[in-house]
Amino acid sequence: KLLETDASVVLDQRLQVHFRAMGKDYYALLGVSKTASDEEIKKAYKKLALKLHPDKNKSPDAPKQFQDISEAYDVLTDEKKRKIYDQYGEEGLKGGPIPGEGGPGAGGMPGGFQFSQGDAERIFAQMFGGGGGLGGIFGGMGGGMGGGMPGMGGMGGRRGGPSVFSFGGMGGDDDEELPGMFPPRRGHGARHGHGFGQPEPAQAETVKRKLPVSLEELYTGFQKKLKVTKQIQDASGQITSASNVITVEGKPGWKAGTKVTFPGAGDELNGMPAQDITFIIEEKPHPVFKRDGDDLLATVKVPLVDALCGYRLEFKGIDGQRIAQTITRVTPGMIKTIPDAGMPRKGGGRGVLKLTLDVEFPTTTLTDKQKEELRKILK
């Protein structure tokens, strides 16, 4: 009898190994050991999620890889799911037949564990900040959609009014908690990983439109009134149109890529909730200035005689004010930095204005005598 028990244990262990080999290796997907703690699993997931999120990684394999690591995180940080997975692998977790336990699904997850791309986005939103929809990339300027993002201050949105959020450049290390990294990605009836197959309520997609704005408007702040015509479908299937005027209130210093979302301002079709409309700020090209974060860049042509003898530089700033500087001598590649003459900063103050002094050579032809005199002076 003892030998029979030992043989049964060995057989069961081999079957468990077999079932694990048939499905995904969640530990390998995250690059962690089978004894990894929740904190180690979380850290591994965060680093991979930032690299594989489809809004950043344009590889055709990125969506599948992103969903796989999210599924691995979801399972390995849930005590019950992890225990079932460790014992019976992915097949047992998702309702496959488990040997010796009463047929299909026995001993596994009730109803079978399911995981979708929508679940992956939900986990990402919970990890990096954001509720039902994410803001832009690194660094928000306000709330989120339908109640605002937790932990964010200032301009949180409520249903029926605009919510404002923005994204800036990449920053921080991979393990930093960063709010609002990517634009909203909402689907139709995505399944919820923790609900074991129960569908979420359908959600409308977000309509995105670019909103061109001049550099001067981004400096001073702006107000743009936009007429939006939406289609509304009633229960009988009949479609009517309705127009509404919405106002985009731009704050001084906003950057290209800032997003302004109006929940429920779009079409209401096919029994879906009204679409959200997101306007993405697009900076118009400027004939004089180029923007570099909070700084402004410009080039000033300097005649050769002024470069050699010195002159008084006069320049009109983005705010319309005249800038006057005495330049004693211009050297090759010289940049004159004017403090507090750039764009408004989020925390107060302004960036700098960097003027590149570009020396212009005369087009006139010198006589031999002039050349001789010039050589004597410049030697």
Side-chain angles (χ1 to χ4, degrees):
K1 186 173 180 61
L2 179 61
L3 290 175
E4 289 178 0
T5 303
D6 291 343
S8 176
V9 170
V10 171
L11 178 60
D12 186 58
Q13 289 174 343
R14 287 176 179 173
L15 286 170
Q16 290 174 21
V17 171
H18 172 68
F19 268 85
R20 283 197 296 269
M22 288 178 64
K24 299 186 184 81
D25 187 338
Y26 292 142
Y27 294 102
L29 285 170
L30 293 176
V32 298
S33 70
K34 293 184 179 180
T35 58
S37 65
D38 284 356
E39 192 60 34
E40 290 172 325
I41 292 168
K42 178 180 178 181
K43 185 173 182 180
Y45 164 78
K46 288 169 69 176
K47 288 184 178 180
L48 289 170
L50 291 176
K51 294 174 183 176
L52 295 176
H53 194 287
D55 283 348
K56 179 184 177 185
N57 190 324
K58 300 306 178 184
S59 166
D61 297 329
K64 177 67 166 57
Q65 293 173 336
F66 176 69
Q67 182 172 333
D68 284 346
I69 64 159
S70 302
E71 181 178 329
Y73 171 80
D74 185 84
V75 170
L76 298 183
T77 54
D78 184 288
E79 184 178 356
K80 184 178 180 181
K81 295 178 194 172
R82 185 172 180 176
K83 183 177 180 180
I84 294 173
Y85 172 75
D86 285 344
Q87 199 168 10
Y88 301 109
E90 184 188 9
E91 295 294 328
L93 183 70
K94 294 186 176 179
I98 297 177
E101 299 202 23
M109 226 13 128
F113 170 69
Q114 299 184 49
F115 195 89
S116 69
Q117 187 71 23
D119 298 319
E121 293 292 347
R122 171 186 52 76
I123 290 173
F124 188 88
Q126 291 172 347
M127 182 70 70
F128 293 101
L134 298 176
I137 223 150
F138 291 99
M141 288 179 64
M145 317 213 338
M149 295 183 182
M152 306 281 284
M155 311 173 208
R158 292 193 301 272
R159 196 74 182 171
S163 65
V164 182
F165 53 97
S166 71
F167 59 87
M170 292 296 198
D173 58 34
D174 287 348
D175 198 39
E176 185 180 357
E177 293 283 354
L178 298 169
M181 283 191 50
F182 295 98
R185 290 171 62 94
R186 300 190 294 169
H188 299 268
R191 290 190 176 274
H192 193 294
H194 288 283
F196 311 125
Q198 296 300 318
E200 291 180 346
Q203 291 180 303
E205 294 182 354
T206 299
V207 178
K208 300 177 183 179
R209 293 290 182 268
K210 292 182 179 179
L211 182 62
V213 181
S214 70
L215 189 60
E216 285 84 358
E217 289 175 315
L218 292 173
Y219 171 78
T220 60
F222 61 90
Q223 182 184 92
K224 289 185 179 291
K225 295 184 179 296
L226 307 170
K227 183 178 180 181
V228 176
T229 300
K230 62 184 292 183
Q231 293 183 315
I232 303 173
Q233 187 176 34
D234 61 22
S236 68
Q238 184 175 357
I239 297 176
T240 57
S241 296
S243 295
N244 188 28
V245 175
I246 58 180
T247 303
V248 179
E249 298 276 358
K251 305 298 181 183
W254 270 11
K255 296 178 174 66
T258 298
K259 296 182 179 181
V260 185
T261 296
F262 293 83
D267 294 339
E268 299 178 44
L269 300 172
N270 302 319
M272 298 292 292
Q275 294 174 325
D276 296 344
I277 299 180
T278 293
F279 292 98
I280 304 172
I281 301 301
E282 182 179 62
E283 182 183 308
K284 295 179 182 178
H286 197 278
V288 177
F289 299 103
K290 288 185 178 180
R291 187 172 183 177
D292 181 18
D294 295 326
D295 299 334
L296 291 175
L297 314 177
T299 299
V300 177
K301 299 291 186 180
V302 182
L304 177 61
V305 62
D306 289 341
L308 293 173
C309 303
Y311 77 113
R312 186 168 178 79
L313 167 67
E314 292 189 355
F315 190 84
K316 186 178 180 180
I318 187 69
D319 56 1
Q321 298 296 314
R322 302 298 300 184
I323 297 171
Q325 295 279 318
T326 299
I327 309 294
T328 56
R329 183 170 179 265
V330 178
T331 56
M334 181 175 175
I335 297 177
K336 184 69 177 176
T337 300
I338 314 297
D340 296 318
M343 298 294 287
R345 287 182 173 142
K346 185 178 178 181
R350 294 172 61 182
V352 302
L353 170 62
K354 297 179 181 180
L355 298 177
T356 299
L357 305 184
D358 185 17
V359 178
E360 284 187 312
F361 285 80
T363 57
T364 56
T365 302
L366 300 177
T367 64
D368 291 340
K369 184 177 181 181
Q370 289 173 327
K371 292 178 182 179
E372 184 178 347
E373 291 176 350
L374 187 59
R375 286 181 185 277
K376 291 177 181 178
I377 294 171
L378 297 179
K379 276 186 177 181

